């Protein structure tokens, strides 16, 4: 008898996105990496905030139209660039070893590629449907299937 693997779909569709899982992994990693550095509270707080913003913007945008989702994904990419700066500053201050700096950069590069692929997928989907304005845009309840291969 052949076994088929059945995929369970989450109630919150953004939880099915691999890029969302990667973003929460990064936020957890950053929180652990900078934990206990009371000397640099401002940097640590800002760094963690930007790391969380990546996942938060993916989640927030997922409930919007495709063009709005695209906008939120671009905001998530802005948060990634902020994290690049915080990574460099943390390394310059000695909070990050060269290994931690490299791990952070690898996370951020992968997140950038994943978000870029999802943005392109959403834009192509809109072009295929001939949609160019928010009024004809449909909610993003089908975006998860488009992103799963990335």
């Amino acid at each position: 008898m052949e076994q088929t693997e059945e995929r369970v779909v989450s109630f919150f569709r953004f939880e099915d996105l691999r890029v969302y899982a990667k973003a929460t992994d990064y936020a957890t990693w950053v929180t652990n990496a900078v934990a206990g550095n009371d000397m640099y509270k401002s940097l640590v707080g800002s760094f963690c905030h930007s790391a969380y913003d990546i996942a938060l913007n993916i989640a927030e945008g997922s409930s919007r139209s495709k063009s709005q989702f695209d906008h939120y994904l671009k905001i998530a990419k802005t948060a990634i660039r902020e994290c690049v700066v915080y990574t460099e500053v943390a390394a310059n201050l000695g909070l990050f070893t060269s290994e931690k700096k490299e791990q952070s950069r690898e996370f951020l590069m992968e997140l950038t590629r994943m978000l870029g692929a999802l943005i392109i997928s959403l834009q192509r989907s809109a072009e295929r449907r001939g949609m160019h304005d928010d009024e004809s845009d449909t909610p993003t309840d089908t975006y998860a299937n488009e992103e799963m291969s990335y």
Side-chain angles (χ1 to χ4, degrees):
M1 179 149 83
E2 188 178 315
Q3 288 185 6
T4 58
E5 192 174 310
E6 194 172 313
R7 205 175 122 225
V8 178
V9 177
S10 299
F11 180 79
F12 298 103
R13 295 290 307 263
F14 63 86
E15 293 178 316
D16 293 333
L17 293 170
R18 291 186 320 189
V19 69
Y20 171 77
K22 179 62 81 173
T24 58
D25 288 347
Y26 182 68
T28 302
W29 183 88
V30 166
T31 301
N32 289 328
V34 298
N37 285 298
D38 293 335
M39 188 171 161
Y40 301 104
K41 280 185 181 180
S42 178
L43 171 68
V44 168
S46 297
F47 196 172
C48 288
H49 181 79
S50 291
Y52 302 153
D53 273 352
I54 301 166
L56 290 168
N57 278 293
I58 294 167
E60 175 67 20
S62 71
S63 67
R64 308 295 179 107
S65 69
K66 286 188 179 189
S67 63
Q68 289 172 327
F69 190 25
D70 177 80
H71 175 73
Y72 277 89
L73 294 175
K74 289 176 181 175
I75 294 171
K77 285 180 80 172
T78 297
I80 289 172
R81 289 188 291 276
E82 291 171 359
C83 288
V84 170
V85 174
Y86 292 130
T87 296
E88 187 66 32
V89 172
N92 290 345
L93 292 172
L95 296 175
F96 276 7
T97 62
S98 59
E99 182 180 332
K100 277 189 177 179
K101 177 182 174 181
E102 188 57 33
Q103 287 174 333
S104 181
R105 291 184 59 80
E106 286 174 14
F107 258 116
L108 295 168
M109 287 185 289
E110 184 172 2
L111 281 165
T112 299
R113 286 190 293 272
M114 293 173 85
L115 284 173
L118 181 53
I119 289 167
I120 289 169
S121 175
L122 289 169
Q123 290 170 345
R124 285 184 180 155
S125 174
E127 287 171 7
R128 281 192 304 266
R129 290 183 176 93
M131 297 174 196
H132 297 289
D133 62 356
D134 286 336
E135 292 175 11
S136 63
D137 221 353
T138 58
T140 58
D141 58 353
T142 58
Y143 68 84
N145 293 332
E146 296 169 3
E147 191 269 350
M148 288 302 165
S149 63
Y150 299 115

